[in-house]
Amino acid sequence: MPRTALLVSAPRTALFASAALLATLLPLSSARAAADPAPPVVAVDRFEGEIPFANPPAEGLFPWGSDTDDPPALRLAARPDAPEGEKVLSGSYDISGWGGFTHDFAFDRPPHDWSAHQGVRLWWEGHGTGKKIAFEIKDGGADGEASELWTTSFTDDFTGWRRIELPFTDFVYRTDYQPVGGIDQILGLTETWGYALTLPVGVKGEFAMDGVELYGRADQARTATVTTDAAVVPVDEGHTATVRLTVATTGAVPLEEPVTVAYETTGGTASAADYTPATGTLTFPAGTPSGTGRAIRVPTTRDRSAENAETVPVKLTVSGAKAPAETPQVVIDAHGLPYLDARLPVRKRVADLLSRMSLEEKAGQMTQAERGALTAPGDIAAWDLGSLLSGGGSTPTPNTPAAWAKMIDAFQLRAQATRFQIPLIYGVDAVHGHNNLVGATVMPHNIGIGAGRDPRLAQQTAAVTAAEVRATGVPWDFAPCLCVTRDERWGRSYESFGEDPALVESLETVIQGFQGARDGSDLADDDKVLATAKHFVGDGGTTYGSSTTGSYTIDQGVTEVTRKQLEAVHLAPYQDAVDRGVGSVMPSYSSLDIAGDGRGPVKMHARADMIDGVLKDRMGFEGFVVSDWAAIDQLPGDYASDVRTSVNAGLDMIMVPYAYKDFRATLVDEVRAGRVGERRVDDAVSRILTQKFRLGLFEKPYADTSGAAAIGSAAHRTVARRAAAESQVLLKNAGGLLPLKKDQKVYVAGSNADDIGNQTGGWTITWQGASGAVTPGTTILEGMRRAGGDLTYSKDASAPTTGYDVGVVVVGETPYAEGAGDVGNGHDLRLSTADQAAVDTVCAAMRCAVLIVSGRPQIIGDRLDAVDALVASWLPGTEGAGVADVLYGRRPFTGQLPVTWPKSEAQLPINVGDASYDPQFPYGWGLTTLTKIPSGGTATLRALATAATAAERAGADQAGRTLVNRARLIVQQRIGQSVTAAVSAPFADADHLLLTGRYGEAVRALIEAYRKA
């Protein structure tokens, strides 16, 4: 599953300057007295003890590194040869990954203005190593953790003390890593948060530095910038293109000196007959206000012949200001070619376009990069990229719908500079709502949707997600996960609808929620997205202990199955997805080991027999296959082998977040060497282009934000609220404790009662998710308060517990995603010590209900007897009011277990249909608080079996399901809390039979459970 690993692993170079010293010495504005030749030198650090060693958010110096051995040791050392004062900052280092140190300015104080100065300088003791030392500053943003990184370097090619001067004009914006993805990418220096140094890798050494200070006067070329409104300016043939230039200054002050821009149209792919050359000079006189604009106009000529797109670069020579980072290009749009004719069938458009493309262009279409990993925006055109993605937490700044649309439109504009102007297809992991976007409607995770067992509502949740995703300019969603989870130790259990393939298949209505019509005819609508069935195949069945990825224990491991088990359990949901017209499929990281095939474990990204043979040939899948995040890197062999193996196995688009240049170049080499066939490449590109045409991207590549106002709207949240309510599974309800009554005094406790981050789980705003107020929503506690109850809340149950009618303790897990959440990788299935204490305290003092907010069952063990009511709340999303709705009886509890609830971890894996089956609660279990529970005994059940059989024969599915559910409620009432192995097996089997349409058999299985109760 895509995610931004770089954001996890990159150095935390927070940075910055002495609050006490700078507050008194630095100017408060960028205005300078004209008579001053230069502002006075300003000391930043003298290292005489004025700056403490401390971590953010406090001000101070601190080291950092990629592991425990890499942070350098820092000390203030008295030195007789100190360039300034008596002490210097010194230290030792031995770095294998990355490491360095930071001076960070305290985040609770204002940033400082360095804009009046030419640069920053420092004394450095050289050792002649020849190694580079990176010097970095943070600029702009809310604080030192939400700012831009700008960097330069100097070389240790001398010995002894030397003063190093680093002009601000030498600093460049970091493209390999940005903590927030960039703010304005302008080094304004009016909001500076400090500095950091990155020390050399692979050498053991000592360092010493002294006297960090600001020097010189900023020249206008640093404080004034000429920008273009766009680096790419498309224009219809025969029309005039307008390139707009703007002069901007730091602090928005008027120009102190004139700025001139000489321009000339030169080079490019357009011929002299395609446009009228433009040349001249624009002048911004002294005194010109910041923000003033000028325009360069380039007329194009019409020749009436069909042509691909052609470029006309506009060369700019700027004096008195910093020039634009790129030469702007006028692009005369492609026109008159068959593939541009929307009236033609998609297959003809694809065939025409494919026939015109070079091998390099085709390879580019098969390449997908992470948006934050682009080394330059122009790489989209330079490498003919077909796709970008946002991994988990890879978002624009600010993280708003408008910023998303603006960001993606800017990327799409870059694609217009290619010969055929093939639009990008941008993808995100919107796995339970548009979960990367702050303020979006966050649905229950799939495990909760599985508990709801409501195909129509499942489709509605996907439709809401699709509408919110497409309204931000994103046409492609890496969802749904059709994994069949078979072991609750798996860290992505909550991404599955459940342990029964029949349950998963029943909820694949989500594909129509995402895409609309099965034939793809709705994909161009402004509320539809391309769906992705993942992870093909067997990701939910990996064997515990088989993973070789880092510290993972089960995720990305080996699925060991017979051919029959593979077909019945893991492959079954994919045929339904293909039949529903799913547009893309993503293979699993995991390996597949099929008993008797003689191959042993083989990574799914290399299994041509499954991808080409089963998915494409046997099942008839016509969409395209996209790899998972850098997954081909896990294949054995060198990189060229990884590329040819995966492409020859049937992968059409390869997600290579950071290696997009290497991948495209390698694929071209492999084709030219004959190791990857051109027909295979043409098939892959045809599949990708087909979906781009269906999505309407050639006609409308830019964001249609008409639906943006509905993001997080009351209507959308109403759908999520209902889904949260239906996902709640009532496991125990002694004495009818639930629903609560509004006149009861309720004591609420527990770690997950009032935490929106915990109840939304992983894949929420960031890949792993986080506790706390990560996004707007209603916590369970807030929902209960809005329901009108008389509540007292004490998170740790430390408040007095006397005088209450009932207690509600909301406990469970904190967020995680993928293998980071595997049991044995820092996780288990037991409640935390604090949660156990809260349950024990409250339930000893009063009648109590315990709600477990988690992505999988939790082991409750001997605490079950002390609990009057137990609810599996799963991960309900942002609408905690839905949980309150069932707690207070606004809606009845109707949810059923989508997975078996074990008694102990020793039982795992445990699933419906197992020969030995003795769980705490069986698959399909779920009590109800309906006002009237059906009554009856064996005779009633027999009558229901007869009626269910008749409904089955008549094809009356709704009637059949209703009859089986009536029988289930009768049997559950008979079983009560005496859930034994004898009743569990037939009870769970009945739910599987119901989902496979065998209604008569389902009731007969329930009769068996009734008799054994």
Side-chain angles (χ1 to χ4, degrees):
M1 181 73 89
R3 66 278 189 179
T4 47
L6 181 61
L7 299 185
V8 176
S9 64
R12 181 178 181 230
T13 52
L15 329 166
F16 321 21
S18 162
L21 190 58
L22 287 178
T24 59
L25 295 180
L26 288 180
L28 297 178
S29 76
S30 63
R32 300 186 300 273
D36 291 342
V41 170
V42 174
V44 176
D45 281 342
R46 297 201 180 280
F47 304 118
E48 298 299 308
E50 74 278 11
I51 306 302
F53 291 104
N55 290 332
E59 177 203 1
L61 288 158
F62 63 92
W64 37 263
S66 53
D67 57 40
T68 56
D69 297 327
D70 284 342
L74 302 180
R75 61 187 181 276
L76 294 178
R79 289 273 297 261
D81 62 342
E84 296 183 6
E86 298 179 354
K87 296 179 182 178
V88 300
L89 177 67
S90 63
S92 57
Y93 61 92
D94 184 5
I95 301 168
S96 58
W98 40 259
F101 60 93
T102 287
H103 180 188
D104 213 350
F105 174 55
F107 298 170
D108 59 353
R109 303 177 191 179
H112 294 280
D113 187 342
W114 290 10
S115 63
H117 293 270
Q118 180 183 352
V120 60
R121 64 191 183 192
L122 60 115
W123 287 96
W124 186 263
E125 185 179 31
H127 294 281
T129 64
K131 299 289 186 177
K132 287 188 178 296
I133 294 93
F135 189 98
E136 189 169 270
I137 56 179
K138 277 195 172 182
D139 178 70
D143 55 43
E145 294 291 343
S147 184
E148 289 181 345
L149 306 183
W150 291 77
T151 186
T152 187
S153 66
F154 60 92
T155 303
D156 183 356
D157 56 2
F158 56 93
T159 57
W161 288 106
R162 176 179 292 182
R163 175 170 274 175
I164 306 296
E165 293 193 345
L166 305 170
F168 291 133
T169 50
D170 288 353
F171 283 78
V172 296
Y173 180 80
R174 278 189 66 174
T175 56
D176 59 330
Y177 169 70
Q178 284 288 338
V180 295
I183 296 169
D184 58 12
Q185 297 189 26
I186 295 174
L187 183 58
L189 293 171
T190 57
E191 294 180 310
T192 306
W193 296 96
Y195 67 87
L197 281 85
T198 302
L199 297 169
V201 176
V203 293
K204 188 175 183 179
E206 300 280 332
F207 76 89
M209 65 182 288
D210 200 7
V212 182
E213 62 187 23
L214 307 178
Y215 73 95
R217 174 178 176 172
D219 57 27
Q220 185 170 274
R222 209 211 58 73
T223 60
T225 304
V226 173
T227 60
T228 58
D229 61 339
V232 177
V233 183
V235 62
D236 289 338
E237 185 187 56
H239 290 70
T240 297
T242 301
V243 179
R244 302 188 186 279
L245 305 180
T246 302
V247 64
T249 62
T250 300
V253 299
L255 289 178
E256 296 181 355
E257 302 166 9
V259 171
T260 61
V261 182
Y263 61 89
E264 176 187 8
T265 50
T266 180
T269 60
S271 69
D274 292 317
Y275 68 98
T276 301
T279 183
T281 301
L282 299 176
T283 300
F284 298 89
T288 299
S290 178
T292 299
R294 298 280 192 272
I296 300 170
R297 290 180 172 82
V298 182
T300 67
T301 56
R302 185 186 297 275
D303 59 16
R304 304 193 176 206
S305 61
E307 294 176 296
N308 50 255
E310 297 172 304
T311 59
V312 184
V314 182
K315 180 182 177 182
L316 303 176
T317 303
V318 179
S319 298
K322 186 177 181 180
E326 296 180 73
T327 298
Q329 294 185 82
V330 170
V331 178
I332 305 172
D333 288 337
H335 54 278
L337 300 172
Y339 77 88
L340 295 171
D341 188 350
R343 296 169 298 180
L344 292 177
V346 167
R347 60 180 178 80
K348 288 189 176 181
R349 298 178 74 183
V350 170
D352 177 69
L353 178 53
L354 189 69
S355 70
R356 301 175 186 276
M357 297 170 67
S358 69
L359 174 58
E360 287 79 6
E361 288 166 327
K362 293 173 183 177
Q365 285 300 301
M366 296 173 67
T367 308
Q368 183 182 57
E370 215 293 323
R371 41 78 68 186
L374 290 176
T375 56
D379 281 356
I380 291 171
W383 294 86
D384 299 293
L385 296 182
S387 181
L388 294 180
L389 82 148
S390 279
S394 178
T395 66
T397 301
N399 189 354
T400 64
W404 274 89
K406 181 179 179 181
M407 174 185 73
I408 293 167
D409 281 355
F411 291 140
Q412 289 288 16
L413 183 62
R414 296 290 183 160
Q416 295 299 297
T418 58
R419 267 205 312 167
F420 301 114
Q421 299 182 306
I422 303 173
L424 296 165
I425 180 170
Y426 199 100
V428 298
D429 286 281
V431 298
H432 63 138
H434 196 355
N435 44 254
N436 279 314
L437 172 64
V438 172
T441 307
V442 179
M443 302 292 172
H445 268 295
N446 282 355
I447 195 76
I449 301 297
R453 279 178 169 64
D454 188 337
R456 182 175 298 178
L457 180 58
Q459 181 170 337
Q460 290 174 350
T461 64
V464 167
T465 298
E468 296 197 1
V469 168
R470 194 66 182 260
T472 59
V474 178
W476 182 19
D477 188 358
F478 304 129
C481 188
L482 301 184
C483 44
V484 182
T485 178
R486 306 292 285 178
D487 192 329
E488 279 65 59
R489 291 171 292 190
W490 188 35
R492 48 195 328 165
S493 294
Y494 61 75
E495 294 187 47
S496 172
F497 292 118
E499 70 185 36
D500 184 352
L503 175 58
V504 175
E505 289 181 67
S506 74
L507 296 171
E508 290 186 47
T509 51
V510 294
I511 293 172
Q512 267 53 68
F514 289 126
Q515 294 193 168
R518 297 184 183 215
D519 63 1
S521 58
D522 294 335
L523 282 172
D525 293 353
D526 63 4
D527 61 350
K528 297 295 185 292
V529 294
L530 196 74
T532 307
K534 63 184 187 183
H535 302 89
F536 185 84
V537 61
D539 53 336
T542 49
T543 301
Y544 187 79
S546 66
S547 181
T548 57
T549 300
S551 57
Y552 295 4
T553 58
I554 184 169
D555 188 34
Q556 303 184 21
V558 180
T559 302
E560 300 169 319
V561 287
T562 64
R563 179 70 64 174
K564 182 178 180 180
Q565 289 169 332
L566 176 66
E567 295 283 349
V569 177
H570 299 291
L571 275 172
Y574 286 93
Q575 184 65 67
D576 188 63
V578 170
D579 294 343
R580 288 179 175 275
V582 71
S584 64
V585 169
M586 181 182 291
S588 175
Y589 278 117
S590 56
S591 299
L592 185 61
D593 187 357
I594 305 175
D597 73 352
R599 300 181 64 185
V602 179
K603 283 284 184 181
M604 273 306 308
H605 280 71
R607 291 211 69 132
D609 60 326
M610 301 304 300
I611 298 171
D612 257 347
V614 174
L615 178 65
K616 290 183 175 179
D617 293 343
R618 193 186 86 188
M619 292 185 176
F621 175 60
E622 296 181 348
F624 67 90
V625 178
V626 59
S627 82
D628 209 331
W629 178 278
I632 68 168
D633 293 347
Q634 295 188 4
L635 301 181
D638 60 17
Y639 194 68
S641 172
D642 295 345
V643 170
R644 66 174 173 267
T645 298
S646 57
V647 173
N648 286 334
L651 270 73
D652 304 307
M653 181 182 287
I654 312 297
M655 190 185 295
V656 278
Y658 313 115
Y660 58 94
K661 296 177 184 179
D662 290 341
F663 171 77
R664 200 198 78 157
T666 302
L667 178 56
V668 168
D669 290 344
E670 289 298 296
V671 174
R672 289 196 170 133
R675 291 185 287 269
V676 174
E678 290 189 43
R679 290 182 62 185
R680 170 77 273 271
V681 170
D682 284 352
D683 172 61
V685 178
S686 294
R687 290 168 176 269
I688 295 164
L689 293 177
T690 295
Q691 300 305 333
K692 289 187 176 185
F693 279 118
R694 285 180 170 178
L695 285 162
L697 295 177
F698 281 82
E699 288 69 49
K700 295 196 304 181
Y702 305 113
D704 181 344
T705 59
S706 57
I711 294 174
S713 66
H716 286 183
R717 290 180 184 274
T718 295
V719 174
R721 178 173 179 170
R722 182 181 166 198
E726 291 194 9
S727 73
Q728 303 300 293
V729 181
L730 184 58
L731 299 173
K732 179 181 180 181
N733 195 25
L737 179 65
L738 296 178
L740 302 172
K741 300 174 181 61
K742 291 186 179 180
D743 61 357
Q744 289 178 310
K745 291 190 65 176
V746 182
Y747 187 101
V748 183
S751 60
N752 287 348
D754 194 32
D755 194 306
I756 201 75
N758 287 357
Q759 75 183 46
T760 52
W763 286 108
T764 306
I765 310 305
T766 58
W767 172 37
Q768 290 292 320
S771 300
V774 297
T775 192
T778 303
T779 67
I780 295 171
L781 176 67
E782 290 168 342
M784 294 176 68
R785 283 175 172 154
R786 293 178 189 179
D790 181 2
L791 307 179
T792 294
Y793 172 59
S794 175
K795 180 177 179 178
D796 60 358
S798 60
T801 56
T802 56
Y804 293 93
D805 299 308
V806 62
V808 175
V809 191
V810 188
V811 294
E813 295 186 303
T814 54
Y816 54 80
E818 301 188 37
D822 285 353
V823 167
N825 188 21
H827 293 266
D828 56 42
L829 298 182
R830 295 184 296 276
L831 297 180
S832 69
T833 301
D835 279 349
Q836 291 178 28
V839 170
D840 292 345
T841 298
V842 176
C843 294
M846 65 195 81
R847 298 184 70 203
C848 71
V850 173
L851 277 61
I852 299 180
V853 173
S854 63
R856 53 198 170 189
Q858 303 292 283
I859 306 301
I860 52 174
D862 56 6
R863 282 182 171 77
L864 182 59
D865 290 340
V867 172
D868 297 287
L870 181 65
V871 179
S873 286
W874 310 112
L875 298 169
T878 51
E879 307 315 301
V883 180
D885 286 342
V886 293
L887 288 178
Y888 277 95
R890 186 174 181 270
R891 289 182 179 275
F893 278 94
T894 56
Q896 296 174 246
L897 283 180
V899 293
T900 300
W901 197 284
K903 289 180 178 178
S904 68
E905 284 189 24
Q907 288 185 314
L908 298 174
I910 182 171
N911 295 287
V912 56
D914 286 355
S916 177
Y917 191 74
D918 184 19
Q920 191 88 64
F921 298 103
Y923 168 76
W925 184 264
L927 305 176
T928 187
T929 51
L930 288 166
T931 53
K932 183 173 177 58
I933 297 176
S935 59
T938 303
T940 302
L941 291 171
R942 286 174 178 166
L944 289 171
T946 300
T949 300
E952 180 182 335
R953 289 172 179 168
D957 291 332
Q958 184 58 51
R961 286 191 290 268
T962 299
L963 292 164
V964 175
N965 278 323
R966 187 179 301 170
R968 179 178 66 85
L969 294 175
I970 292 171
V971 173
Q972 279 187 158
Q973 194 170 37
R974 168 69 173 258
I975 294 172
Q977 289 305 300
S978 300
V979 181
T980 63
V983 302
S984 290
F987 186 92
D989 289 343
D991 200 54
H992 172 71
L993 292 165
L994 163 65
L995 289 164
T996 53
R998 292 173 285 177
Y999 307 124
E1001 290 182 60
V1003 177
R1004 285 188 283 276
L1006 287 168
I1007 291 172
E1008 180 183 351
Y1010 185 89
R1011 288 172 175 166
K1012 293 180 177 179

